[in-house]
Amino acid sequence: AQSVSQHNHHVILSEAASLELGCNYSYGGTVNLFWYVQYPGQHLQLLLKYFSGDPLVKGIKGFEAEFIKSKFSFNLRKPSVQWSDTAEYFCAVNETNAGKSTFGDGTTLTVKP
Amino acid sequence: GAVVSQHPSWVICKSGTSVKIECRSLDFQATTMFWYRQFPKQSLMLMATSNEGSKATYEQGVEKDKFLINHASLTLSTLTVTSAHPEDSSFYICSARTGAPETQYFGPGTRLLVL
């Protein structure tokens, strides 16, 4: 069974700092990769996704993620965070055509104004 | 964009009663819907995969007689928590999957409190 590991459980940054959240997965086959965000009191929203092609994926709100197949990683980055980025971030992986996704434990990002 | 709704958003019930939660894809057809449970400060735990017109596939450790799932149409799946107990109190989230390239869209969740 595949697993997803998010190394940072809680990240605290000041506004304008750069962000990188780690995500590693354990499945060796072809995968689809996702980052979701859950703002306080709101539901999960898709930030970005990778299916194939350019391993550097750009998402909404200035976020991007890079798929490094050799490292089984899909880290999320943002060059300059804002207070409004305070949220819970989840990495998810599903095996191509398998349907269901496995989620990481999530990373809580707190951005101090 | 694709929208998924859940109803109700909040439910409080007495122990022993059954609660039905609806999940609807509002502007697309979803052959597959997923039901998750999320505990405070924790990740989403997949409970079951629901395919339209067939029986749901439950994850290991999830009681299918406890959590009844019906996917009667391409836009509606229901989760019924039968004989609810306080330990069933949680945040239940559904998602609906579109076709290729497949993406899940999540509902806003239903918070269940069993007294």
Side-chain angles (χ1 to χ4, degrees), chain A residues 26-81:
Chain A
S26 65
Y27 182 67
T30 305
V31 294
N32 299 322
L33 300 155
F34 306 83
W35 275 98
Y36 292 91
V37 60
Q38 188 172 30
Y39 296 104
Q42 296 188 28
H43 62 283
L44 275 166
Q45 300 173 42
L46 181 68
L47 263 184
L48 47 79
K49 60 189 176 186
Y50 172 81
F51 291 119
S52 63
D54 188 344
L56 184 61
V57 180
K58 294 194 182 298
I60 61 171
K61 305 187 181 185
F63 286 91
E64 64 178 33
E66 185 175 12
F67 171 49
I68 303 179
K69 190 174 181 179
S70 61
K71 294 185 178 180
F72 298 90
S73 71
F74 190 55
N75 292 355
L76 180 71
R77 300 194 292 249
K78 185 170 183 177
S80 176
V81 295

Side-chain angles (χ1 to χ4, degrees), chain B residues 53-72:
Chain B
S54 63
K55 290 183 179 180
T57 303
Y58 290 81
E59 294 301 299
Q60 193 172 16
V62 178
E63 300 175 60
K64 60 182 180 181
D65 295 330
K66 171 78 173 176
F67 299 99
L68 300 178
I69 291 172
N70 184 291
H71 195 155

Side-chain angles (χ1 to χ4, degrees), chain B:
Chain B
V3 178
V4 176
S5 71
Q6 279 184 243
H7 178 79
S9 55
W10 256 105
V11 57
I12 302 173
C13 68
K14 293 181 179 179
S15 185
T17 60
S18 294
V19 175
K20 181 187 280 188
I21 303 170
E22 292 186 350
C23 175
R24 293 181 186 272
S25 56
L26 298 184
D27 49 2
F28 66 99
Q29 293 183 329
T31 53
T32 303
M33 290 183 173
F34 303 90
W35 286 96
Y36 296 86
R37 188 171 176 177
Q38 186 180 30
F39 293 99
K41 304 289 187 184
Q42 293 188 31
S43 186
L44 283 74
M45 182 192 78
L46 180 65
M47 299 174 66
T49 302
S50 167
N51 291 299
E52 186 265 339
S54 63
K55 290 183 179 180
T57 303
Y58 290 81
E59 294 301 299
Q60 193 172 16
V62 178
E63 300 175 60
K64 60 182 180 181
D65 295 330
K66 171 78 173 176
F67 299 99
L68 300 178
I69 291 172
N70 184 291
H71 195 155
S73 76
L74 288 172
T75 59
L76 173 65
S77 176
T78 60
L79 167 68
T80 301
V81 183
T82 61
S83 186
H85 291 285
E87 58 265 30
D88 298 324
S89 298
S90 191
F91 194 51
Y92 292 87
I93 303 172
C94 76
S95 73
R97 189 180 70 178
T98 62
E102 51 185 62
T103 299
Q104 288 186 55
Y105 294 93
F106 287 82
T110 297
R111 192 164 299 283
L112 170 64
L113 178 61
V114 185
L115 302 176

